[in-house]
Amino acid sequence: CADIALDGDLVSIGEEIMETCYVRATDVVSFLIHFLGSAASLRCRPLRSVVRRVYRRRSVAIASGYTFNLSRASELVDQFRSIRPYVFLARDNCLLHALALVNYLAAHGEFPAWVFGVTTDPWTAHSWVQQERFLLDSNPEAVCSLEPILAV
């Protein structure tokens, strides 16, 4: 499991760090493939199985020497965020959003952690994508009150 720290300076990619990118037809096709695959996985497979698959893929990448490329990840997040509003709403869909983003990024050679967190007062669960201090689909205000319980 990845080590996720929510204390310290967190930076939101897509809000604080932005890359200007162009969205091509191939990017839209890639987005749709990974969105539909993610939605089908969450609907038809046990969450444990989905998590294991993401964990294995990321572990293989790390064992093969993967290192996070902030500039490339920022471009990919910008592409994802440019397309997503035309396909589904992020609000109340954090699990689907995070999995679709993790799958989209992995298809393009980036393997950040998929994180699950909770808080008990009031009970809240949330899922997001993070690499070290960089939040790829969230902002610090949304996650700092949560306790990370799993990062893959």
Side-chain angles (χ1 to χ4, degrees):
C1 280
D3 185 29
I4 296 298
L6 297 178
D7 52 351
D9 295 329
L10 296 174
V11 178
S12 177
I13 294 177
E15 292 181 20
E16 296 169 290
I17 296 177
M18 291 187 250
E19 293 284 335
T20 303
C21 74
Y22 299 96
V23 176
R24 303 170 309 235
T26 55
D27 301 321
V28 174
V29 170
S30 178
F31 175 94
L32 291 172
I33 288 168
H34 295 97
F35 163 72
L36 292 171
S38 298
S41 290
L42 290 173
R43 189 170 190 101
C44 300
R45 297 172 55 202
L47 183 58
R48 177 180 63 228
S49 171
V50 176
V51 168
R52 280 187 187 148
R53 183 169 183 253
V54 171
Y55 173 78
R56 281 193 295 267
R57 179 179 61 206
R58 185 169 191 266
S59 296
V60 167
I62 290 170
S64 300
Y66 164 72
T67 56
F68 183 68
N69 181 330
L70 178 60
S71 179
R72 179 67 176 140
S74 296
E75 289 175 12
L76 293 166
V77 168
D78 187 57
Q79 288 174 347
F80 185 92
R81 285 179 155 215
S82 295
I83 301 165
R84 189 214 25 90
Y86 296 102
V87 180
F88 75 103
L89 297 175
R91 183 172 172 78
D92 298 327
N93 283 312
C94 65
L95 190 63
L96 175 58
H97 189 274
L99 179 59
L101 179 58
V102 163
N103 287 337
Y104 183 79
L105 292 169
H108 295 88
E110 290 297 328
F111 301 91
W114 180 21
V115 185
F116 299 81
V118 297
T119 185
T120 57
D121 190 23
W123 167 255
T124 305
H126 186 53
S127 180
W128 68 95
V129 181
Q130 182 173 344
Q131 179 68 34
E132 298 160 355
R133 66 186 191 100
F134 300 103
L135 301 171
L136 281 73
D137 67 340
S138 196
N139 59 55
E141 296 79 25
V143 300
C144 282
S145 65
L146 299 167
E147 180 68 32
I149 58 170
L150 179 66
V152 292

